Amino acid sequence: MRFRRSLLSSALAGALALAAATPVPAQQCVNRPNIMICGSSGATGSSLYQGVGPFTEVSGCTPGGDTQALLVTRDGSAAGNQASWTAYLNAGGRIITEYDSANNVYNEIYGTAYADGSQFGDCADNAMPSEKLNVSDPFWVAHPFPPTAHDAEGCGTANLQALVGGEASVTPLGGLVDYPGSVTFARRYQGSGVLWLVDADWQDGNQNANSAAFMGALITDCGTAPPVVVKNVPVPVDDPLAIGGLAGLIGLLGAAFARLRRSSR
């Protein structure tokens, strides 16, 4: 019994080490034909995104395997979409929010209760923030868009400060330079997909080309979640069970070798 427990202990340690080394699955980088817009949007085509596509724009709030990105605007309904949105993200989808929808979408998916505040910003319709945060993040390295001018900022109501502060899995990536400490652009990886939290009025349809290209990057970015840090799982070699397991393994090898010698005579 002691020997069997030793083997189980050693096997468990090996399994834990293997699990710790298993990476998070990469976001599925495929070009799907459709962009789905949940809610109304005055921005379409090149006023919505540039530098990628073209995509077919469809209306709806339940994305499928042919949906490149789901864009949820201020009047898009989040209620009742937790299951379908989570499944879509897990399968490599992208969800992008807009003015007044970031907290609602996040709350629906993760069961939280973050509240919006009052409107702030210039309401110039540009999704690209006027201040970059975490400038060494792989997204900014891959997409070095210049910040929006401070007098051409978009506006929103969420200000994602509280959400970012309360959610370790959310990375702040941008804010408004005229509002120190603000967060209007953040990211959370979910499964093989990504939730882009954008608190800006891009659906009004007057984005400049730089901001539209930024939206194109959100729609097609193939970034991946940070790799899991491989942790060494120590095997307590001074533990009697571990020592017993090692001795038992040596005994088994010795017995096998003896049988091999006898069979060769």
Side-chain angles (χ1 to χ4, degrees), residues 24 106 110 112 114 134 137 160 162-173 185-191 193-197 224-226:
V24 173
Y106 194 93
Y110 297 106
T112 50
Y114 294 103
N134 289 309
D137 185 89
L160 302 167
L163 192 156
V164 167
E167 304 290 319
S169 297
V170 177
T171 301
L173 293 171
F185 172 44
R187 177 194 62 223
R188 175 164 178 166
Y189 289 113
Q190 174 64 46
V194 60
L195 171 61
W196 295 113
L197 297 165
T224 58

Side-chain angles (χ1 to χ4, degrees), residues 121-169:
D122 294 328
C123 295
D125 303 353
N126 288 311
M128 176 65 198
S130 58
E131 180 180 24
K132 294 181 180 179
L133 305 176
N134 289 309
V135 295
S136 61
D137 185 89
F139 176 80
W140 290 132
V141 174
H143 308 288
F145 302 108
T148 295
H150 76 95
D151 57 353
E153 299 168 332
C155 64
T157 61
N159 195 348
L160 302 167
Q161 281 178 306
L163 192 156
V164 167
E167 304 290 319
S169 297

Side-chain angles (χ1 to χ4, degrees), residues 13 17 33 61 79 83 122 142 159 182 203 233-235 238 247 250 254 258:
C61 297
D122 294 328
N159 195 348
S182 64
Q203 71 92 31
V233 180
V235 177
D238 57 341
I250 293 173

Side-chain angles (χ1 to χ4, degrees), residues 46-264:
S46 62
S47 67
L48 176 60
Y49 65 89
Q50 293 184 22
V52 298
F55 300 100
T56 300
E57 295 169 26
V58 299
S59 296
C61 297
T62 307
D66 60 355
T67 307
Q68 176 72 13
L70 172 68
L71 282 59
V72 185
T73 64
R74 65 194 74 175
D75 59 353
S77 177
N81 288 309
Q82 190 274 339
S84 64
W85 287 358
T86 302
Y88 172 65
L89 289 171
N90 285 339
R94 302 162 179 82
I95 296 179
I96 305 169
T97 67
E98 196 246 349
Y99 174 102
D100 205 32
S101 73
N103 282 326
N104 291 338
V105 170
Y106 194 93
N107 291 339
E108 175 64 21
I109 295 173
Y110 297 106
T112 50
Y114 294 103
D116 290 335
S118 57
Q119 180 176 292
F120 70 110
D122 294 328
C123 295
D125 303 353
N126 288 311
M128 176 65 198
S130 58
E131 180 180 24
K132 294 181 180 179
L133 305 176
N134 289 309
V135 295
S136 61
D137 185 89
F139 176 80
W140 290 132
V141 174
H143 308 288
F145 302 108
T148 295
H150 76 95
D151 57 353
E153 299 168 332
C155 64
T157 61
N159 195 348
L160 302 167
Q161 281 178 306
L163 192 156
V164 167
E167 304 290 319
S169 297
V170 177
T171 301
L173 293 171
L176 301 186
V177 70
D178 289 339
Y179 297 83
S182 64
V183 180
T184 60
F185 172 44
R187 177 194 62 223
R188 175 164 178 166
Y189 289 113
Q190 174 64 46
S192 296
V194 60
L195 171 61
W196 295 113
L197 297 165
V198 180
D199 187 31
D201 55 333
W202 51 259
Q203 71 92 31
D204 290 338
N206 295 308
Q207 287 194 99
N208 62 31
N210 181 63
S211 187
F214 165 75
M215 285 291 290
L218 300 187
I219 290 169
T220 58
D221 179 68
C222 289
T224 58
V228 173
V229 177
V230 177
K231 296 181 179 179
N232 294 322
V233 180
V235 177
V237 293
D238 57 341
D239 187 280
L241 291 178
I243 295 174
L246 180 60
L249 179 60
I250 293 173
L252 288 174
L253 291 174
F257 181 69
R259 286 195 298 271
L260 180 63
R261 290 187 61 187
R262 285 195 298 269
S263 65
S264 64

